[in-house]
Amino acid sequence: ITDYTGTTYRLRDATRGLGIETYDMNTGTSYTSAVDFTDADNNWTGTNTAQDEVARDAHWGTETTYDYFYTKHGRNSINNAGLKLLSYVHYDVDYANAFWDGTRMTYGDGDNTYSPLTTLDICAHEITHGLTEYTANLNYSYESGALNEGFSDIFGTSTEFYGKPTSQTGNWTVGEEIGAPFRSMSNPNLYGQPDTYLGTDWYTGTGDNGGVHYNSGVINFWYYLLCQGG
């Protein structure tokens, strides 16, 4: 869903909650300098040297995540009051990360290893950080932070299974579409994560905010077993 100004189409959707909007950072880091993505014919499937097609991916990924929470859980955006979901694409140069900052989602274009981080499971992962902030507000460190990360993987994967076209299917890895997966929910040990509390690969250091991206493997594996059995 986009809107039309009378002369051009923009990645703005007013049909879900208070809106879904996607903006172009133009490889900068200033949000006030971000601009609309525009298209003359509303066909967003073409590619160009700036990889603007990933803006379509982020926009669709956000719409699909909204639909998942609304359809499956009866929730109107992450605050259940229709909060406008803002996405900012083409953040910085060679930036292989994506994040929720308390206000919006931001997506880098990747680097020599990873392609742009606007896949469906990553979009839903970042949006779920916002959901967690509005609901549980888990402190982002050590075990509470690992739960925070785990819930993002859980809902990211759930949204992927929900939103993938019928010709495709969801899966239990995270990030596989950007060059290489970096977590597995069905086998966390495969990427150096524990699948059991205090088990193999349990992280005890202070790095990564106390291992939030490592020890999340425990709840990830719990969710995999909940869904698949074992």
Side-chain angles (χ1 to χ4, degrees), residues 31-72:
Y31 292 97
T32 57
S33 299
V35 296
D36 275 299
F37 285 96
T38 60
D39 189 85
D41 60 6
N42 208 28
N43 179 356
W44 301 84
T45 59
T47 60
N48 58 31
T49 56
Q51 293 183 298
D52 284 346
E53 70 276 7
V54 303
R56 169 210 62 201
D57 295 345
H59 194 68
W60 175 77
T62 303
E63 292 174 327
T64 303
T65 303
Y66 177 93
D67 291 349
Y68 166 77
F69 282 119
Y70 186 80
T71 301
K72 297 299 183 182

Side-chain angles (χ1 to χ4, degrees), residues 116-130:
L117 284 84
T118 53
T119 62
L120 180 55
D121 58 350
I122 294 177
C123 289
H125 174 106
E126 300 307 335
I127 294 167
T128 301
H129 278 308

Side-chain angles (χ1 to χ4, degrees), residues 51 93-97 108-117 178-180:
Q51 293 183 298
V93 177
D94 292 330
Y95 189 77
N97 202 359
D109 287 334
D111 53 20
N112 290 332
T113 301
Y114 296 108
S115 58
L117 284 84
I178 64 171

Side-chain angles (χ1 to χ4, degrees), residues 66-88:
Y66 177 93
D67 291 349
Y68 166 77
F69 282 119
Y70 186 80
T71 301
K72 297 299 183 182
H73 303 288
R75 191 169 186 85
N76 180 12
S77 192
I78 57 179
N79 68 344
N80 203 28
L83 181 76
K84 182 180 290 187
L85 298 175
L86 303 173
S87 299
Y88 290 79

